[in-house]
Amino acid sequence: MSEGATEAKRSLTRRAAMASSLQTRQSNSTPQCTLASTGTYMTRLFPPAEPLTDGIVTLRVPKMDPIDIDAVNTYAQTDEQRDESWLPIIPFTSADQSVADWLEGWAGRTSHNGPHFVIEISDEQQFIGTVGFKDRDEGVIEMSYAVAPHCRGRGIASRAARLGASWVLRQAHVAIVELRIGQDAIASQHVALNAGFVRDGIVSQLVPATGETFEDLKYVSSNPVTEFVTEF
């Protein structure tokens, strides 16, 4: 099975797990420093006042405007999205509902995919990827990243992962950023290393909705990274 096909199956399995967890998630709007508790499942991250950038890659909060909605709609209709499910959208819903879902995560309300940044570069009119966050444990935030297939191999994912990790590690109460990557996802493993993460064992997860168990490699970072060793 190809790396893309394997990651597509893993992505769908994770989304089934997230969907089955929605019934247990509750919100609480009371701020606590930079982070506010929203129940036992999700920790609210307040978005930065300005976009994050290293001069080449920019992370910003998505917008409910025609540009971002059209981008989601365009990607959703591609063969790459159907094959890989690389963009974290809600299946079988409209593009504006998927954008709204990301924003619900930033607002600390029930969200299927949680808070996400979108990734921008200067030579593309639409955003070309996302960086998302999910609470894993006290002081631990799981991060995910995705880049459109036509923009891969240019170091964009590594730069985006570095920006996202460096930002979230500067938020109050966040001590560790964690990545969970498929054992056969070699490209994603290179991205993690180039973004300053180190490997930290294997994690297993049972998905009650499907009965499947899968094992991912765990990568962690506890220090904001300021430069790359190499790019991927």
Side-chain angles (χ1 to χ4, degrees):
M1 184 178 294
S2 68
E3 179 176 323
T6 302
E7 282 301 291
K9 181 178 179 181
R10 184 175 288 107
S11 176
L12 291 172
T13 302
R14 284 201 184 96
R15 289 179 192 181
M18 292 177 71
S20 68
S21 301
L22 288 177
Q23 300 299 321
T24 65
R25 294 165 63 178
Q26 299 177 343
S27 63
N28 182 333
S29 60
T30 304
Q32 299 177 357
C33 300
T34 307
L35 295 172
S37 173
T38 58
T40 59
Y41 182 84
M42 178 60 68
T43 297
R44 180 180 176 186
L45 292 172
F46 288 89
E50 300 292 336
L52 313 175
T53 186
D54 64 359
I56 295 176
V57 167
T58 297
L59 304 185
R60 64 166 175 81
V61 175
K63 302 175 183 177
M64 283 294 294
D65 64 14
I67 295 177
D68 284 356
I69 292 172
D70 286 349
V72 172
N73 191 50
T74 298
Y75 289 133
Q77 299 179 54
T78 62
D79 290 339
E80 291 86 356
Q81 178 65 17
R82 285 189 286 268
D83 292 342
E84 298 182 28
S85 298
W86 67 269
L87 186 67
I89 59 179
I90 305 175
F92 313 114
T93 61
S94 63
D96 60 316
Q97 286 176 294
S98 288
V99 175
D101 179 68
W102 296 335
L103 294 174
E104 288 291 280
W106 283 117
R109 294 187 285 267
T110 297
S111 170
H112 183 72
N113 286 311
H116 274 68
F117 288 120
V118 294
I119 304 171
E120 291 185 323
I121 55 176
S122 60
D123 57 344
E124 292 283 337
Q125 294 184 341
Q126 297 179 321
F127 73 79
I128 50 87
T130 61
V131 172
F133 304 96
K134 181 168 67 172
D135 185 49
R136 274 293 173 191
D137 201 350
E138 184 176 357
V140 180
I141 295 291
E142 180 185 354
M143 189 177 75
S144 60
Y145 47 78
V147 171
H150 72 281
C151 289
R152 294 173 187 170
R154 299 166 54 183
I156 293 169
S158 293
R159 288 181 176 276
R162 181 192 64 172
L163 280 171
S166 294
W167 172 77
V168 79
L169 282 168
R170 291 187 174 95
Q171 309 312 301
H173 313 302
V174 177
I176 297 173
V177 180
E178 176 182 303
L179 303 175
R180 298 188 175 194
I181 301 174
Q183 296 187 48
D184 55 350
I186 304 303
S188 291
Q189 294 168 33
H190 282 298
V191 168
L193 293 173
N194 291 335
F197 286 77
V198 296
R199 185 170 164 179
D200 187 38
I202 296 176
V203 289
S204 299
Q205 182 169 325
L206 172 67
V207 182
T210 64
E212 291 184 85
T213 300
F214 57 85
E215 293 186 336
D216 285 340
L217 301 178
K218 182 171 73 170
Y219 289 78
V220 298
S221 176
S222 58
N223 296 300
V225 179
T226 58
E227 62 182 19
F228 289 117
V229 176
T230 59
E231 290 187 359
F232 190 87

